[in-house]
């Protein structure tokens, strides 16, 4: 019995996970993580979970780590986001390319983003609660990023005037 559909996306290492949702009169049930099924695509161990709550129009990112790189498994517990990964591996044939997915609490889709990608998302619903599993502990001194609206990346964000943090507003442009 298949519990979830796992698909490789067009950028190397990026995987979309679609849990099977069982619905009845009481509500619904789905498995949000299956190491045995994911191990065919990913062989690292998750060691930290993060939960972030944001309101409509907030954009977080685009962030990455260099010395303690994190692979992330992103899912939405409440609300809806547009989730983006940008290939920042200089030797990759898809360097500078991005992928975006709508993740929400109804479709329960998850995005596996390996290290070597910058990550960001914007909130489309009134509020959203996002959880992501990480393969490395958070290290405050190892936070890097680039500006969300970099013209060379031309990311098609579904919002045009997001609310971003003071730190994110000072991020540099992406360099091809």
């Amino acid at each position: 019995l298949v519990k979830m559909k796992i698909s490789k996306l067009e950028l190397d290492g990026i995987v979309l996970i679609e849990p099977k949702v069982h619905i009845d009169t009481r509500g619904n049930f789905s498995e949000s993580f299956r190491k045995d099924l994911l191990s065919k695509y990913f062989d690292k161990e998750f060691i930290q979970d993060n939960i972030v709550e944001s309101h409509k129009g907030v954009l977080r990112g685009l962030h990455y780590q260099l010395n303690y790189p994190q692979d992330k498994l992103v899912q939405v517990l409440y609300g809806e986001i547009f989730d983006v990964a940008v290939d920042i591996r200089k030797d990759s044939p898809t360097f500078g390319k991005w992928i975006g997915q709508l993740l929400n609490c109804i479709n329960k889709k998850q995005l596996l983003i390996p290290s070597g990608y910058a990550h960001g998302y914007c909130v489309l619903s009134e509020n959203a609660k996002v959880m992501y599993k990480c393969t490395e502990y958070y290290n405050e001194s190892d936070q890097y990023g680039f500006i969300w609206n970099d013209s060379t990346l031309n990311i098609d964000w579904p919002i045009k005037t997001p609310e971003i943090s003071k730190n994110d507003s000072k991020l540099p442009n992406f360099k091809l």
Side-chain angles (χ1 to χ4, degrees):
L1 182 65
V2 175
K3 303 289 184 194
M4 56 184 58
K5 178 181 174 187
I6 302 175
S7 310
K8 290 182 178 183
L9 298 183
E10 49 274 10
L11 297 182
D12 185 44
I14 305 264
V15 175
L16 182 66
I17 300 163
E18 300 175 77
K20 181 174 171 96
V21 182
H22 302 275
I23 301 170
D24 65 22
T25 58
R26 300 167 296 162
N28 68 69
F29 169 85
S30 62
E31 293 179 341
S32 67
F33 179 74
R34 287 281 307 249
K35 186 175 182 177
D36 60 336
L37 297 177
L38 195 56
S39 67
K40 297 171 188 163
Y41 304 89
F42 182 77
D43 64 354
K44 296 181 185 174
E45 180 181 0
F46 291 110
I47 61 172
Q48 179 177 320
D49 285 356
N50 300 318
I51 297 176
V52 183
E53 293 186 54
S54 304
H55 56 267
K56 186 174 190 166
V58 166
L59 191 146
R60 295 178 181 270
L62 296 154
H63 303 140
Y64 62 94
Q65 302 76 34
L66 288 176
N67 301 308
Y68 304 96
Q70 295 179 325
D71 303 74
K72 298 174 181 107
L73 180 59
V74 182
Q75 67 178 308
V76 174
L77 303 176
Y78 180 84
E80 181 174 60
I81 66 171
F82 181 68
D83 201 48
V84 171
V86 178
D87 190 346
I88 59 171
R89 302 167 300 159
K90 291 187 178 182
D91 59 346
S92 169
T94 57
F95 176 71
K97 302 291 184 202
W98 64 273
I99 193 162
Q101 285 286 317
L102 281 175
L103 307 179
N104 62 53
C105 61
I106 304 300
N107 68 25
K108 301 191 184 314
K109 290 180 182 180
Q110 300 173 43
L111 200 59
L112 175 65
I113 304 168
S115 58
Y117 286 85
H119 175 246
Y121 62 87
C122 64
V123 177
L124 303 176
S125 55
E126 287 304 312
N127 294 290
K129 185 182 287 190
V130 177
M131 185 177 101
Y132 54 100
K133 299 176 119 16
C134 300
T135 56
E136 185 62 59
Y137 296 114
Y138 173 76
N139 186 310
E140 188 174 358
S141 66
D142 192 35
Q143 298 304 305
Y144 301 92
F146 46 87
I147 197 74
W148 68 279
N149 61 350
D150 181 276
S151 62
T152 60
L153 295 174
N154 200 27
I155 296 172
D156 190 16
W157 294 102
I159 58 176
K160 301 305 174 207
T161 55
E163 179 181 341
I164 59 174
S165 72
K166 184 184 277 188
N167 287 342
D168 284 358
S169 71
K170 297 176 185 174
L171 290 172
N173 285 318
F174 181 78
K175 294 177 179 61
L176 286 174

